[in-house]
């Protein structure tokens, strides 16, 4: 229940920030934008239908497509964003005091990029999707195996190019800057808190140390064959990867077992495998 509450809260916060960036900065400044919002703005210019209504309709259609091609689990994690984003967008666009928060197009570009990147990043970090234009690339990827990142970039590029007919040359240039800032902030948000620590522990009590890492920290470990430099004796060292938050506790536990243990730690930013990108094995 705690995880569900945090997931819902983060998805709502992420969509609120995302809608704020579009409604208060990007749309009033006439910046070209990608995703479902870009499609909504194009339809508004062509057929006169409100872009928030187009976004809601498009999101629902994509949700149905996701249910058909990607399954129930995907829909469960996307349905909240499907309805939350257009609702928040409509709310912010009707708050008159906020619509004139700045008339500087450069400030609008910078803050739109920050808000959009931050909002999407918060949703992505919980393992969910913002819906809309995230879904077609996932479906195509499932059918063809083509990279999702490449497909998302292609879709966004097409949507951006379609808006060239409705925007000034200056708006296009600022829009490209906004997209760059969005991607930069998104990358940073996804990396926040993801720093891990690699531990190499050389101790004669390697068995006890590995057991404590497995049972107390719920992290895997590997034995590495080493030879001590002074006595030239073969020995095993314990290699493990833990989160930065766990390091002080693990370090204390190791020193309680062996105060003379030789501990080497180093920062790492990418880990693939069981317990990180793959589920743990229940032993």
């Amino acid at each position: 229940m705690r995880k569900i509450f945090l997931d819902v809260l983060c998805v709502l916060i992420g969509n609120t920030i995302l809608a704020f960036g579009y409604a208060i900065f990007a749309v009033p400044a006439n910046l070209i934008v990608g995703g479902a919002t870009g499609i909504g703005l194009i339809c508004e210019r062509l057929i006169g239908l409100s872009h928030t209504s187009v976004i809601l309709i498009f999101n629902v259609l994509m949700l149905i497509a996701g249910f058909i091609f990607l399954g129930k689990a995907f829909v469960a994690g996307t349905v909240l964003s499907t309805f939350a984003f257009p609702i928040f967008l409509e709310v912010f666009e009707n708050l008159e005091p906020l619509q004139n928060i700045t008339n500087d197009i450069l400030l609008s570009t910078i803050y739109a990029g920050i808000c959009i990147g931050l909002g999407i990043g918060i949703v992505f970090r919980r393992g969910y999707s913002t819906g809309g234009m995230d879904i077609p690339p996932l479906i195509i990827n499932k059918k063809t195996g083509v990279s999702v990142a490449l497909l998302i970039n292609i879709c966004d590029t097409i949507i951006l190019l379609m808006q060239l007919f409705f925007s000034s040359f200056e708006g296009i240039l600022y829009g490209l800057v906004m997209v760059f800032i969005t991607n930069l902030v998104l990358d940073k948000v996804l990396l926040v808190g993801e720093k891990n620590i690699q531990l190499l522990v050389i101790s004669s009590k390697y068995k006890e140390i590995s057991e404590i890492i497995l049972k107390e920290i719920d992290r895997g470990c590997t034995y590495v064959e080493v030879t001590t430099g002074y006595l030239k004796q073969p020995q095993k060292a314990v290699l493990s990867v833990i989160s930065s938050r766990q390091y002080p506790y693990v370090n204390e536990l190791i020193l309680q077992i062996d105060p003379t243990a030789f501990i080497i730690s180093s920062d790492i930013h990418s880990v693939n495998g069981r317990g990180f990108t793959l589920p743990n094995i229940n032993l």
Side-chain angles (χ1 to χ4, degrees):
M1 290 301 296
R2 180 176 176 273
K3 182 183 183 301
I4 292 173
F5 174 77
L6 286 174
D7 286 349
V8 170
L9 181 63
C10 287
V11 169
L12 289 175
I13 291 173
N15 278 282
T16 301
I17 296 172
L18 180 62
F20 184 84
Y22 277 119
I24 306 304
F25 299 111
V27 175
N30 293 316
L31 300 174
I32 59 172
V33 296
T37 305
I39 293 175
L41 292 172
I42 292 169
C43 291
E44 187 174 58
R45 294 294 184 93
L46 292 176
I47 61 177
L49 186 62
S50 164
H51 61 273
T52 54
S53 299
V54 173
I55 293 169
L56 180 58
I57 294 168
F58 181 78
N59 281 355
V60 171
L61 291 175
M62 289 300 100
L63 189 67
I64 295 170
F67 175 77
I68 296 171
F69 293 102
L70 301 174
K72 296 178 181 178
F74 175 84
V75 171
T78 307
V79 65
L80 186 58
S81 292
T82 297
F83 295 98
F85 174 68
I87 291 172
F88 290 142
L89 190 65
E90 182 73 23
V91 170
F92 284 127
E93 287 185 341
N94 285 287
L95 293 176
E96 291 296 332
L98 292 178
Q99 288 299 305
N100 299 313
I101 196 168
T102 179
N103 293 317
D104 190 313
I105 190 170
L106 180 58
L107 284 176
S108 295
T109 301
I110 294 171
Y111 281 100
I114 292 172
C115 290
I116 295 169
L118 180 60
I120 295 174
I122 291 172
V123 176
F124 280 9
R125 278 183 64 87
R126 301 304 299 184
Y128 295 105
S129 164
T130 54
M133 277 309 299
D134 290 348
I135 296 175
L138 290 171
I139 295 173
I140 297 172
N141 168 262
K142 183 178 180 180
K143 298 296 182 181
T144 65
V146 179
S147 166
V148 174
L150 175 62
L151 291 169
I152 289 175
N153 287 331
I154 291 172
C155 291
D156 275 342
T157 300
I158 293 171
I159 294 169
L160 291 172
L161 290 174
M162 291 174 67
Q163 293 173 75
L164 299 183
F165 303 102
F166 311 118
S167 181
S168 65
F169 188 70
E170 187 179 59
I172 294 168
L173 294 177
Y174 279 117
L176 294 174
V177 173
M178 184 194 72
V179 172
F180 173 77
I181 295 172
T182 296
N183 290 329
L184 186 65
V185 173
L186 175 59
D187 288 341
K188 296 296 181 183
V189 172
L190 293 177
L191 284 175
V192 169
E194 292 300 314
K195 186 175 74 172
N196 294 285
I197 304 292
Q198 177 179 276
L199 281 181
L200 181 65
V201 184
I202 302 173
S203 167
S204 59
K205 298 182 179 179
Y206 60 87
K207 290 184 179 179
E208 293 94 326
I209 291 171
S210 65
E211 284 295 317
I212 206 73
I213 291 174
L214 287 167
K215 293 180 179 178
E216 293 290 329
I217 311 301
D218 193 27
R219 290 297 185 193
C221 56
T222 302
Y223 288 149
V224 180
E225 296 288 346
V226 297
T227 303
T228 59
Y230 183 68
L231 297 176
K232 305 295 188 296
Q233 293 178 341
Q235 188 175 304
K236 288 184 173 65
V238 179
L239 178 67
S240 183
V241 177
I242 61 176
S243 71
S244 55
R245 294 185 297 274
Q246 293 172 325
Y247 175 71
Y249 181 52
V250 175
N251 190 68
E252 182 182 347
L253 290 175
I254 293 171
L255 293 178
Q256 286 176 3
I257 295 171
D258 183 4
T260 64
F262 193 76
I263 305 172
I264 304 170
S265 61
S266 56
D267 292 339
I268 54 174
H269 294 278
S270 179
V271 184
N272 293 312
R274 295 289 177 189
F276 292 91
T277 57
L278 297 173
N280 287 336
I281 299 176
N282 294 322
L283 299 176

